[in-house]
Amino acid sequence: VPRDERSIVKPRLVLKFTWMEKNIGVGLDHFLPRHGTVPLTPYYFWPRKDAWEELKTVLENKPWISQKKMIILLNQATDIINLWQQSGGNLS
């Protein structure tokens, strides 16, 4: 009996954030089904450094990550960094 391809969980990239009062950390993990999560990057902290640029450089150096996926991840990181900036680091 052939497996239904929709039921197969595929590996995926996951952005992780550490939300703090004066900084926000952005990291990238690789989720592998049946194995868990493997960190691909350290956390890059904004505004101490340009976390977005650091993430972009890492993504560009991973040829197995498509241009489309890279753009999606960078746009998501931008959205969260902007949300953090607008909130002043306050979660409430």
Side-chain angles (χ1 to χ4, degrees):
V1 179
R3 269 188 159 180
D4 179 5
E5 286 190 31
R6 288 173 289 167
S7 67
I8 298 171
V9 179
K10 297 180 180 172
R12 65 183 188 268
L13 297 169
V14 180
L15 281 173
K16 298 281 185 136
F17 297 91
T18 301
W19 187 290
M20 298 176 290
E21 190 177 323
K22 297 185 190 257
N23 298 283
I24 185 166
V26 181
L28 184 66
D29 288 357
H30 196 191
F31 174 77
L32 304 168
R34 294 189 292 269
H35 297 286
T37 303
V38 178
L40 284 180
T41 70
Y43 279 91
Y44 302 113
F45 290 93
W46 172 270
R48 269 189 259 163
K49 292 189 174 182
D50 191 340
W52 189 90
E53 278 294 334
E54 290 179 310
L55 183 62
K56 180 178 180 272
T57 298
V58 168
L59 291 169
E60 288 173 340
N61 288 314
K62 303 225 179 281
W64 53 271
I65 298 175
S66 71
Q67 184 79 13
K68 180 181 177 183
K69 183 54 116 175
M70 183 176 91
I71 290 168
I72 290 168
L73 290 166
L74 289 171
N75 285 341
Q76 289 173 340
T78 299
D79 290 344
I80 300 298
I81 290 169
N82 286 340
L83 182 64
W84 177 85
Q85 286 179 307
Q86 291 165 7
S87 74
N90 191 345
L91 278 173
S92 54

